Amino acid sequence: MSRRAVLGWVGAGALVVVGGTLVRAQRQGLLDPRTGPAYTAWQPTHRTGAEAVVAAAVLAASPHNLQNWWFRPTTAADGSVTLDVHDDTSRSLGVVDAHRREAHLGIGAAVANAEVAAPALGFDTRLTVRPAADDETLLARLVLTPRTPAEPDALTQAIPHRHSDRGAYPPEEPSADLLDRLRATALAGTTGVDLVWITASDQRRRLGAILVDAATALTADHQMSVDNAELIRYDHQQVERYGDGLTIDAQALSPFLEVAAQLLPATSRTQGDKSWVRSTRDVHTATARAYGLVVGDRSDSATRVHAGRALQRLHLALVAEGWAMQHMNQAVEMAERDATLGTADRFDGPLTQLAGGQVIAALRMGRPSGRAVASPRRPLADVLR
Ligand SMILES: Cc1cc2nc3c(=O)[nH]c(=O)nc-3n(C[C@H](O)[C@H](O)[C@H](O)COP(=O)(O)O)c2cc1C
């Protein structure tokens, strides 16, 4: 074969490879990330009334972006609306959240967004947590009473700008003053929970090591690893189809890893596990400028709802003040896993000792990495019943 013919075949082969990669890049959403119906929830809305309150609620954080909520608004003759907030138990993280602690925290987060957004949408709110003892899925009832719309306050304005930030936080530590203020805002109106800041460097190192060990232990537990990977969405088509889950761009991976994860055919679970443990060690814990531990009775669903409200209010307050946050729950997940399996406790004791009480949830904070992005949301029609 002539040299020219060989070059022709090589060129054609390269074209096929590049073309295939581009087609995959398009499918994976690399060329147009975060566009499409799964992201419209973050755009300004023309909705009004209770529907607008629910539209704010669904922008809240939820574990693995599970969005295990559904809402039933009932309007009374006087214009007030009773908004029931349910846990959708058909949506689950499997053994990662066997007792629905995180699912209930997510419901609390949605309730907090609804409460924060309501005054500017023309409603006062009255909240009852677990209003019906015989209905375990009805976690909250929010009565919305018409009022003159208020000016949106700082927390309200933060709602569409709050995203989980899993990148490297710059080396600026928060002042004690700021942490006090944030704690007061987070806990306002909650019962049964407290927020403990971990700021001393030796304590931060200890908690960091616990979180890395927990991530390692979680990935070594086959069923935990499988269920943990269930909601990772490698493909933009999946994101648009389901409108939930953890997208690759929200993981704030290094640019090379992000491109590799999105271009290669779905990365293997073990590769993903390794990359997560590495990020936990080298990015998340290495750049945590303070940790927050939310303390309360982990087994009580009402307390979990209050804890979720506190977490969401905290995140909004952080964003309003120019700071960032990432939930970090692997140590609590593994504490529950050890208890469920009846194996020796590895994480609960050390966490309790650090926090001075039972830990329901953990997080890190710092200045924004600049890598936080919006995550998908399910259509309102799917969560309004
Ligand atoms: C109860 C709860 C637990 C969470 N645990 C973690 C976690 O361990 N690690 C993490 O990176 N994000 C965690 N998140 C954050 C969610 O993954 C995130 O809220 C979701 O993907 C939606 O993204 P957004 O917060 O940017 O809107 C948690 C959120 C909640 C409410």
Side-chain angles (χ1 to χ4, degrees):
M1 203 188 290
S2 72
R3 191 163 163 265
R4 202 173 159 158
V6 170
L7 285 177
W9 279 108
V10 170
L15 259 182
V16 168
V17 171
V18 170
T21 306
L22 280 175
V23 167
R24 191 174 293 137
Q26 172 67 28
R27 258 174 56 90
Q28 318 279 69
L30 213 55
L31 306 182
D32 56 351
R34 299 186 299 285
T35 56
Y39 292 91
T40 51
W42 298 97
Q43 304 303 322
T45 167
H46 300 295
R47 297 176 198 279
T48 54
E51 206 177 87
V53 175
V54 174
V58 302
L59 296 183
S62 64
H64 289 219
N65 201 14
L66 181 67
Q67 302 167 50
N68 54 294
W69 41 56
W70 64 271
F71 304 83
R72 174 168 286 149
T74 312
T75 307
D78 66 356
S80 70
V81 180
T82 299
L83 183 63
D84 282 349
V85 189
H86 287 262
D87 177 21
D88 181 348
T89 53
S90 71
R91 302 178 70 81
S92 151
L93 299 181
V95 298
V96 173
D97 189 29
H99 309 293
R100 296 197 78 74
R101 172 185 53 83
E102 295 193 15
H104 292 177
L105 289 168
I107 297 288
V111 168
N113 261 20
E115 290 176 283
V116 166
L121 295 169
F123 294 108
D124 281 323
T125 60
R126 196 176 67 247
L127 172 69
T128 315
V129 176
R130 284 295 311 268
D134 61 343
D135 186 349
E136 281 181 14
T137 75
L138 176 54
L139 289 179
R141 173 167 291 159
L142 207 52
V143 176
L144 306 168
T145 320
R147 57 162 285 166
T148 312
E151 277 302 309
D153 65 8
L155 294 191
T156 310
Q157 289 178 40
I159 289 176
H161 303 292
R162 182 214 59 85
H163 306 302
S164 293
D165 190 338
R166 300 185 179 88
Y169 298 162
E172 182 184 336
E173 310 218 336
S175 68
D177 224 36
L178 171 72
L179 295 181
D180 282 350
R181 208 165 54 241
L182 290 167
R183 178 171 170 274
T185 305
L187 296 177
T190 65
T191 48
V193 292
D194 198 359
L195 171 63
V196 177
W197 289 115
I198 304 293
T199 53
S201 53
D202 59 328
Q203 291 205 329
R204 262 155 63 191
R205 259 197 309 278
R206 247 170 65 211
L207 183 49
I210 292 170
L211 293 168
V212 175
D213 286 351
T216 309
L218 193 154
T219 59
D221 178 321
H222 177 75
Q223 198 56 50
M224 287 291 273
S225 166
V226 167
D227 290 356
N228 200 47
E230 188 64 26
L231 269 124
I232 298 178
R233 304 275 180 237
Y234 289 101
D235 186 323
H236 193 63
Q237 288 183 339
Q238 277 188 339
V239 170
E240 284 303 340
R241 179 152 165 220
Y242 299 111
D244 64 6
L246 298 168
T247 56
I248 300 303
D249 60 350
Q251 304 314 306
L253 299 171
S254 72
F256 172 77
L257 274 180
E258 178 167 338
V259 170
Q262 292 188 279
L263 279 185
L264 299 173
T267 312
S268 80
R269 175 171 52 82
T270 39
Q271 276 312 108
D273 279 352
K274 277 190 195 146
S275 157
W276 176 53
V277 171
R278 210 179 307 119
S279 300
T280 304
R281 187 188 60 226
D282 299 341
V283 180
H284 306 164
T285 57
T287 70
R289 303 310 167 193
Y291 291 102
L293 296 175
V294 178
V295 172
D297 180 357
R298 199 189 283 155
S299 65
D300 180 57
S301 57
T303 305
R304 295 157 165 191
V305 172
H306 283 294
R309 288 171 70 220
L311 283 161
Q312 184 70 13
R313 290 178 61 82
L314 173 64
H315 203 167
L316 293 175
L318 278 159
V319 170
E321 300 242 18
W323 293 77
M325 174 177 139
Q326 178 189 5
H327 293 260
M328 296 189 75
N329 278 288
Q330 58 266 48
V332 190
E333 287 162 0
M334 287 311 295
E336 288 187 324
R337 181 70 169 157
D338 283 343
T340 304
L341 296 179
T343 50
D345 167 50
R346 293 170 289 175
F347 300 100
D348 209 20
L351 280 179
T352 308
Q353 196 181 27
L354 266 174
Q358 189 173 60
V359 175
I360 302 190
L363 61 104
R364 69 171 181 131
M365 62 82 76
R367 285 289 189 191
S369 71
R371 303 287 310 279
V373 295
S375 56
R377 288 297 185 274
R378 298 162 64 210
L380 269 202
D382 287 7
V383 299
L384 271 169
R385 295 186 193 166

